[in-house]
Structures are given as structure tokens and as C-alpha cells.
Amino acid sequence: MELSKATSDLLLELDTLSGGAIKRRADLGILLECGRDGPGRKALDELSFFAKFLHRTHGIMARIGRDGEGYGRLLKEFTDASAKTTALLAELLSGAPDDERRRLTATYLAMTPGALDNLLALCRDLSWYKNRLIDVRARREGAR
């Protein structure tokens, strides 16, 4: 999928913001392109929120372990956020070209352990996009 200049510039900005930590750059670019306008924009914004939540929750769960206090509650929140994240990803992908939609669906939405690992890696990248949204909003509010 050909990315617009705006999307390519945004990816460069995210690369800088993340210190080069973006791992799924091409796939993130497709999602950013699908979310540039119309209903895709709302889906991308929501997806980035849930992706950041999922990424952070997964990290906490790994840190405290299965026997850690609150793990059961975190697991439920993780499961709920996973369902919402995958639904939003599928919604956003409905605007992608057929070949990209099929590839990304197989990569991130299949019911396999590998797809879950891939989804978590994509969520980490999407969390950088969410951080950027927060920074832009804070700058706008500070300029008022």
C-alpha cells in the first residue's frame, strides 16, 4: 500500500519519538493511512488508546506474575481490552486494500499464540502514536 506523505512524515516523527523502537513500521503505516480520514480516524484513535492500555497491562502482569496481587483482575481487564482492540483493528482494516487486509488479519487477528505476540508488538508501536496524540493535545491546550 502506498503511504501518503503525511503518513510517511508521521512515521518518521514516531521513529524519533520512540528512539527507534518502532518494530512493526510498515504495518503501523498501513493503519495510520487507513485512519487518516472519516470513520477510520475515530477507530484509529480508539485503537491507540486500547493498544496502549493493553501494552501496559501486559507489562504489569508479566512483572507481578500469576501469583501477584490483583493478577486475576488484570487478566480480566487484559482479556476485555484484547477483545476491544481486535474489534477496532478489524474495523480499521476494513478500509485497507484486500491483500493488506488479509495479511494483517492473519498476522494479528488469528486465534494463535503467534498472532497474540504479533498483536502485542503492534500495540507497543501504537502506544507511541497515542503518546504523540497526548503530546499534541497538551501543546494545543498550553497554547491557549
Side-chain angles (χ1 to χ4, degrees):
M1 175 178 193
E2 181 101 15
L3 300 181
S4 66
K5 179 168 178 8
T7 299
S8 295
D9 289 348
L10 178 55
L11 282 171
L12 286 173
E13 185 180 343
L14 294 174
D15 281 335
T16 301
L17 180 67
S18 72
I22 303 293
K23 301 295 185 211
R24 305 280 174 150
R25 190 177 199 282
D27 295 347
L28 180 60
I30 292 168
L31 296 179
L32 294 173
E33 192 69 31
C34 289
R36 285 188 62 217
D37 300 310
R41 177 56 139 193
K42 184 176 187 288
L44 178 61
D45 289 350
E46 283 188 66
L47 175 61
S48 68
F49 172 83
F50 281 97
K52 183 172 177 134
F53 178 83
L54 199 63
H55 171 66
R56 292 185 56 86
T57 303
H58 183 260
I60 293 167
M61 290 170 61
R63 189 176 70 243
I64 69 170
R66 291 180 187 258
D67 296 329
E69 183 178 337
Y71 185 87
R73 181 181 48 80
L74 286 171
L75 181 58
K76 179 179 181 347
E77 289 178 7
F78 180 85
T79 302
D80 293 346
S82 293
K84 185 67 174 173
T85 301
T86 56
L88 287 165
L89 182 55
E91 179 183 338
L92 191 57
L93 289 176
S94 69
D98 288 343
D99 58 334
E100 294 292 357
R101 186 180 66 250
R102 282 191 297 273
R103 181 182 67 77
L104 294 173
T105 297
T107 302
Y108 299 108
L109 300 177
M111 299 302 274
T112 65
L116 179 59
D117 290 341
N118 293 336
L119 180 64
L120 290 170
L122 183 64
C123 285
R124 183 183 58 242
D125 290 350
L126 280 163
S127 71
W128 287 107
Y129 173 71
K130 180 62 178 176
N131 290 344
R132 181 197 174 269
L133 290 177
I134 292 167
D135 289 348
V136 168
R137 187 178 308 126
R139 276 186 258 147
R140 274 193 208 136
E141 290 174 3
R144 290 183 191 177

